[in-house]
Amino acid sequence: MKVVIAGGSGHVGAVLLRHFASRGDEVVVLSRALPAAASYRIAHWDGKVIGPWADEVDGADVIINLAGRSVNCRYTEANLKLMMDSRVDSTRVMGQAISQSINPPRVWLQASTATIYKHRLDASNDEITGILGGDEPGAPYKWNASIAIARAWEKALEEAETPLTRKVALRSAMTMSPDKGSIFDVLASLAKRGLGGRLGSGQQYISWIHEHDFAQAIQFLIDSDMSGPVNLCSPNPLPQAEFMRVLRGAVGAKIGLAANAWMVEIGTWAMRTESELVLKSRRVVPTRLVEAGFEFEFPAWDGACGDLVMARARGV
């Protein structure tokens, strides 16, 4: 296949690049930055307007758009605007490139997020019966702002006129890989330093997916006829306190200092990130994937965590 990945220079992109390389597929990465050397072909784009990069879209088999300003930042008004614009603009221009292609790709996998669902402790959210968030009474403003971005992101995908290209919205949970600087690497490092304890109540759910299952789910979606929103996550989300207990055991940490919500606010302020990323409950399950026949190699956190810790120790 020829696969075009927009915004493929991050950790999730690295997972997919390894997967497609192992298959021998041709991969082109659309990127704002042009590294001096790479094992894949790169075309420059700005994520806003049609340019020569659109020639790569015409004739491609698969488009995967991961572009968007990182959420690992303070949710200032300026950053929220950048998060919104980078997601909506890149989705809209990708739709334009596909619509004007002579030989349009057969499938467009568009990044979205599990954050789009309501904060819940009582039950899981899936694509069928899940409750989308937004303007939830009592929810912090920044939580609702994050959800508004997610909904606008998916709306831009829905509005794209690509009748010959199947569209899938990837409502992804945290993708866990052993790569340096990845979310798992950060969490494992905190746990080893004794900082991997309960945050806030610890009852908020964490949804996650092992890198292997993420890549295999992407391939499954490419090969299937599924369209619309699909949750990319393990079938077994778990409360944050339990999630970190398992991680502490895997890295050999004897203690994990707890932090109340106000302490989390101070800590995330100091780290120039947001408490929403760890205090909001993301209790999400992959009903559509499971019903379509996808089988997870790492459905439970203990097995996934153990595998990732070993891979991280090997420097994989």
Side-chain angles (χ1 to χ4, degrees):
M1 301 186 302
K2 178 182 177 181
V3 182
V4 175
I5 305 177
S9 58
H11 292 109
V12 174
V15 170
L16 293 180
L17 287 168
R18 287 195 292 267
H19 168 73
F20 292 121
S22 72
R23 287 171 39 91
D25 294 321
E26 177 189 359
V27 177
V28 179
V29 172
L30 305 183
S31 177
R32 290 179 173 84
L34 295 176
S39 59
Y40 46 86
R41 196 148 53 85
I42 301 174
H44 181 265
W45 87 323
D46 64 3
K48 295 180 180 179
V49 298
I50 294 289
W53 60 267
D55 293 340
E56 300 290 355
V57 173
D58 196 341
D61 295 288
V62 178
I63 301 296
I64 304 175
N65 185 8
L66 306 174
R69 195 248 194 262
S70 172
V71 298
N72 186 21
C73 64
R74 295 297 293 171
Y75 288 3
T76 62
E77 290 301 324
N79 282 340
L80 287 171
K81 185 177 188 305
L82 284 171
M83 289 161 63
M84 175 73 84
D85 292 348
S86 62
R87 284 159 174 74
V88 172
D89 289 348
S90 62
T91 304
R92 185 175 295 132
V93 76
M94 182 59 75
Q96 292 171 359
I98 293 173
S99 68
Q100 72 180 30
S101 294
I102 297 172
N103 297 300
R106 56 188 171 87
V107 59
W108 172 11
L109 304 180
Q110 171 60 51
S112 181
T113 174
T115 299
I116 200 169
Y117 292 107
K118 180 181 179 180
H119 167 90
R120 296 183 75 181
L121 302 176
D122 61 322
S124 297
N125 284 309
D126 68 9
E127 309 94 333
I128 302 166
T129 62
I131 302 173
L132 297 186
D135 298 323
E136 300 171 37
Y141 162 74
K142 292 178 180 179
W143 291 23
N144 285 329
S146 182
I147 292 167
I149 291 169
R151 298 183 78 159
W153 204 3
E154 290 197 2
K155 183 179 179 183
L157 176 66
E158 293 167 6
E159 292 177 344
E161 297 182 3
T162 59
L164 299 179
T165 301
R166 176 167 53 90
K167 299 183 293 186
V168 182
L170 307 173
R171 291 179 178 172
S172 301
M174 291 188 294
T175 300
M176 299 294 179
S177 78
D179 298 291
K180 186 71 174 177
S182 68
I183 182 61
F184 181 79
D185 182 54
V186 171
L187 292 174
S189 297
L190 290 172
K192 289 200 75 169
R193 298 204 301 266
L195 300 175
R198 169 185 56 77
L199 299 179
S201 70
Q203 296 177 15
Q204 68 275 22
Y205 277 74
I206 292 181
S207 287
W208 57 275
I209 187 169
H210 188 285
E211 63 163 350
H212 172 82
D213 288 329
F214 178 84
Q216 292 304 313
I218 290 293
Q219 190 64 51
F220 184 86
L221 290 170
I222 291 171
D223 297 336
S224 74
D225 60 359
M226 296 176 68
S227 61
V230 175
N231 292 343
L232 289 188
C233 55
S234 156
N236 296 295
L238 67 170
Q240 184 270 335
E242 176 67 9
F243 179 92
M244 293 306 298
R245 184 193 66 77
V246 173
L247 179 53
R248 290 198 306 272
V251 300
K254 295 182 179 180
I255 62 169
L257 297 178
N260 294 328
W262 66 268
M263 299 168 69
V264 173
E265 294 292 347
I266 294 174
T268 52
W269 175 84
M271 296 173 67
R272 308 310 300 160
T273 188
E274 277 294 339
S275 62
E276 184 259 2
L277 299 173
V278 294
L279 294 182
K280 179 182 175 180
S281 183
R282 293 166 171 82
R283 190 173 181 177
V284 183
V285 293
T287 296
R288 292 195 67 202
L289 271 180
V290 172
E291 290 185 349
F294 181 76
E295 295 183 3
F296 287 82
E297 182 170 343
F298 297 97
W301 179 232
D302 54 353
C305 190
D307 178 81
L308 290 165
V309 167
M310 289 189 293
R312 183 171 176 265
R314 295 194 303 268
V316 175

